[in-house]
Amino acid sequence: MAKLTTDELIEAFKEMTLLELSEFVKVFEDTFEVTAAAPVAVAAAGAAPAAEAAEEKDEFDVVLEAAGDKKIGVIKVVREIIPSLGLKEAKELVEAAPKAILEAVAKDQADAAKEKLEAAGAKVSLSDVC
């Protein structure tokens, strides 16, 4: 097998959809028995004290932590929040939790999305965009 360069890999990733890239990450984690989310969690934990000292953030990520017992309702709300998603894509996104639903959105939009998802039974968190 030919060895790919970093640039070739990045170009291949750019051509993938978010769902295809998510599936790739799952397969990569299973194959190499690693977790891609661990370094992010450590970085976020280290950044928390700095965030308290900084001014209030104006962009947030809406992260679906878990779908809860009413997955179908959560899928419907995800499709409402992201109208461009089809039923299959919304279902895959919900099943891939924890997963960012919206990225770098205004606080009021993030709060509204979080409220809708929680009303549908999902567990949701907001994270500051650095």
Side-chain angles (χ1 to χ4, degrees):
M1 179 177 186
K3 185 174 180 181
L4 298 174
T5 66
T6 303
D7 292 336
E8 290 170 331
L9 288 170
I10 295 298
E11 288 305 313
F13 292 146
K14 285 181 182 178
E15 294 176 12
M16 299 173 99
T17 66
L18 184 59
L19 295 173
E20 290 170 335
L21 195 52
S22 174
E23 182 62 29
F24 168 78
V25 170
K26 287 180 190 175
V27 172
F28 186 88
E29 289 175 338
D30 291 343
T31 302
F32 295 102
E33 298 178 358
V34 296
T35 303
V40 175
V42 171
E52 292 173 1
E55 65 216 39
E56 185 174 334
K57 303 294 181 182
D58 59 352
E59 289 187 337
F60 296 85
D61 289 345
V62 179
V63 180
L64 176 67
E65 299 293 338
D69 295 335
K70 300 177 182 177
K71 186 165 70 171
I72 293 173
V74 174
I75 292 169
K76 288 179 181 179
V77 172
V78 167
R79 289 190 69 207
E80 180 183 325
I81 294 170
I82 310 171
S84 62
L85 288 183
L87 181 59
K88 180 181 179 206
E89 291 85 8
K91 179 180 180 278
E92 289 173 350
L93 188 61
V94 169
E95 290 175 343
K99 187 76 172 168
I101 301 293
L102 296 173
E103 296 178 341
V105 296
K107 180 157 178 55
D108 58 341
Q109 185 180 0
D111 286 338
K114 180 180 180 190
E115 185 177 311
K116 286 179 182 179
L117 288 163
E118 287 177 340
K123 180 179 177 195
V124 183
S125 66
L126 298 181
S127 62
D128 294 343
V129 176
C130 296

